[in-house]
Amino acid sequence: MAQERGNRKMITILSIDGGGIRGIIPATILDFLEKELQALDGEDARLVDYFDVIAGTSTGGLVTAMLTAPNEQGRPLFAASDITPFYQEHCPKIFPQVSAGPFTGIVKTVKQLFGPKYDGKYLYKMIQEKLGTTKVHETLTNVVIPTFDIKYLQPIVFSSFELKNDKYLDVKLLDVTISTSAAPTYLPAHRFTAHGKEYNLIDGGVAANNPALLAMREITKELYRENPAFFPVKPLDYRKFLLISLGTGTQKQEEKYNAEKASRWGALGWIRNGDSNPLIDVFSQAIVDMVDIHISVVFQALNSENNYLRIQDDTLSGDASSVDISTKENLDNLIDIGKKLLDKPVSRVNLDTGRNEPVGNETNRGALKR
C-alpha cells in the first residue's frame, strides 16, 4: 500500500497515544475522519488507504492493529466506526469493576501489592479471536508499535520497515498488541517466543506513550535508505510530512497531585493514590508532552505547522482521566468528550511557554476536513 502512495506529494502519518479505556477518544475522532474520506471516495474507503504509516502505543497499538489487520478479502478487519462499539463491549470485561464497599480500597491496594490489577485473560482471548495468526508483515499499511523488553531493559519497536533487516520482528500481531498493552501494575507482562527468540515485554508507553516521533524516525530511516516508496524526498525534509497525532486526554486544568503530598509517599504511595497510579501517570504524560513539544518546534521552525495536527484534550477530570474505570457511564462520557473535542479550536505548543494554546478560528473538525 505504501508503494501505491509513493507518488503523493506528502508522506502521511497517523499516530495514536496510549491511555487505556481513553482510547475511545481517538476512536471517536477516527470514525469522523474515515466518514469524511468515505464521503469523498466511497463507502469502501478505509484509513489504511490514506496513511503511509500508522503508529500506536498501548491502547493506540490495539487500535492500530484493528485498523490494519486484513480480513479474508484483504481489506481491514475493522472499520473506524467499529472501534468505539468494540471498546464499549469489551472494556468492562477487560477491566472488570469491583463493587464499592467499606473495604474496597484496602482490597484493591493489597491486590496490587502482590500482582497486576487485572489478569489480562479476557484481553488475550478476545484479541486472539480477532487477530488469529496474522503477522506484522501482513498489515495493510506500515505499522510502528513500541514495546519494552524488561529482560534487557530496552525498547523493542515492531516496525514494518525493519522486517527486511530483522526477521525476528515479524511476529504475531496478537503478541505485539498484548505486549504494548501490558501496563505495569495493571496488566501482566507478556512472554513469548518467535523465530527461536524469547521476548519479555511490557507496555510501550514506558518508552513512547506518544509514538509520533517514532513514526517520523522510521520514515526518516527509509528516506535515508532511498526506499522507492518515498524517494526522492530528502531524509530531513519534514515539510513533506503530514502528521495527525491523536491523544487520549489528560488532566491538567485541576490539581491531581502536589509536592506536599508526594513528599510523604514511599513506594506504595507512588504506585497507588486513590484509584490512580501516580508513577505511571507522571512518566507517561511526560513522554507524551515532550514528543509533542519536539515535533511542534520542528514543524514551526520549518514554517510547516499546518502539516502537524495534534488533537488532545487536557481538561479531563474525575473518572474520565482514569485508564481503567470501565463503567457504562464513563465510557459514554468519553465518547461525548471525543465528539466535543472535534469542535474545539486547533491547539499548538507555544514555543515560549511550552503550553498548548488555541490558534486561529479553525476547529479540529475543520482541520481534519482540510
Side-chain angles (χ1 to χ4, degrees):
M1 298 296 293
Q3 183 69 41
E4 296 172 10
R5 289 190 289 268
N7 293 326
R8 292 189 179 186
K9 294 181 180 179
M10 306 297 291
I11 296 172
T12 50
I13 304 169
L14 172 63
S15 176
I16 310 162
D17 287 9
I21 60 166
R22 301 199 312 265
I24 283 187
I25 295 174
T28 303
I29 294 166
L30 292 172
D31 184 17
F32 168 78
L33 177 58
E34 191 167 86
K35 283 184 169 63
E36 289 296 309
L37 294 169
Q38 289 169 343
L40 293 172
D41 294 330
E43 63 181 15
D44 292 331
R46 295 289 183 267
L47 291 172
V48 293
D49 302 322
Y50 300 87
F51 289 97
D52 294 302
V53 58
I54 300 179
T57 300
S58 196
T59 195
L62 173 59
V63 173
T64 297
M66 294 170 69
L67 293 173
T68 62
N71 60 20
E72 293 179 354
Q73 290 73 45
R75 294 296 289 154
L77 192 61
F78 289 84
S81 59
D82 297 326
I83 298 174
T84 296
F86 178 92
Y87 271 69
Q88 288 176 297
E89 177 184 355
H90 296 291
C91 280
K93 301 172 186 176
I94 297 170
F95 305 113
Q97 303 299 291
V98 178
S99 299
F103 303 107
T104 300
I106 296 174
V107 171
K108 287 182 178 179
T109 300
V110 172
K111 183 178 179 181
Q112 281 191 276
L113 285 176
F114 296 98
K117 193 172 181 180
Y118 307 100
D119 62 24
K121 292 180 180 178
Y122 181 85
L123 175 64
Y124 186 92
K125 178 183 176 183
M126 179 265 299
I127 295 179
Q128 185 178 45
E129 289 176 354
K130 302 298 182 183
L131 298 181
T133 59
T134 301
K135 290 190 174 183
V136 174
H137 81 272
E138 297 177 83
T139 57
L140 297 174
T141 192
N142 299 299
V143 298
V144 175
I145 302 175
T147 66
F148 191 85
D149 193 313
I150 57 174
K151 186 173 182 178
Y152 298 104
L153 295 180
Q154 65 180 29
I156 302 291
V157 179
F158 292 92
S159 165
S160 300
F161 299 113
E162 290 301 319
L163 298 183
K164 58 183 176 293
N165 302 314
D166 188 350
K167 69 174 184 178
Y168 295 106
L169 294 177
D170 192 22
V171 303
K172 291 181 182 178
L173 204 54
L174 159 69
D175 288 315
V176 176
T177 305
I178 293 296
S179 298
T180 196
S181 303
T185 77
Y186 288 97
L187 290 164
H190 185 52
R191 176 186 176 277
F192 66 95
T193 302
H195 311 291
K197 180 178 180 179
E198 180 183 285
Y199 291 92
N200 297 269
L201 305 179
I202 62 169
D203 191 345
V206 303
N209 205 40
N210 176 348
L213 197 57
L214 275 183
M216 291 178 63
R217 184 198 74 176
E218 293 300 298
I219 292 284
T220 300
K221 286 195 297 184
E222 291 305 295
L223 293 173
Y224 179 76
R225 294 165 177 164
E226 299 187 358
N227 184 328
F230 306 117
F231 191 75
V233 177
K234 295 179 180 179
L236 297 180
D237 192 359
Y238 294 133
R239 291 169 296 185
K240 298 291 187 181
F241 285 30
L242 180 63
L243 170 59
I244 297 176
S245 175
L246 304 181
T248 57
T250 184
Q251 179 177 338
K252 288 190 175 180
Q253 301 305 308
E254 57 183 61
E255 178 186 297
K256 190 164 187 178
Y257 313 113
N258 62 53
E260 182 181 358
K261 293 179 182 178
S263 65
R264 297 190 294 270
W265 292 344
L268 180 60
W270 278 101
I271 293 172
R272 184 170 177 79
N273 182 273
D275 281 326
S276 299
N277 187 315
L279 191 61
I280 291 180
D281 287 348
V282 168
F283 72 64
S284 62
Q285 193 55 50
I287 293 168
V288 164
D289 286 349
M290 289 301 291
V291 168
D292 183 28
I293 291 169
H294 176 83
I295 295 176
S296 292
V297 169
V298 170
F299 276 83
Q300 290 183 54
L302 294 172
N303 294 316
S304 301
E305 53 266 32
N306 287 333
N307 290 2
Y308 172 50
L309 177 62
R310 172 69 173 168
I311 301 181
Q312 173 74 308
D313 190 323
D314 60 4
T315 65
L316 301 187
S317 62
D319 289 355
S321 64
S322 166
V323 299
D324 67 331
I325 297 180
S326 57
T327 61
K328 182 180 185 304
E329 293 76 14
N330 193 37
L331 294 175
D332 289 345
N333 184 37
L334 290 170
I335 294 170
D336 189 52
I337 288 170
K339 291 178 179 178
K340 290 179 179 177
L341 187 53
L342 284 167
D343 292 314
K344 289 188 176 183
V346 170
S347 295
R348 192 172 298 140
V349 172
N350 181 315
L351 300 187
D352 294 321
T353 66
R355 292 183 174 273
N356 275 287
E357 299 175 355
V359 289
N361 298 317
E362 188 175 40
T363 64
N364 291 316
R365 184 188 302 273
L368 287 170
K369 286 185 177 183
R370 171 172 56 79

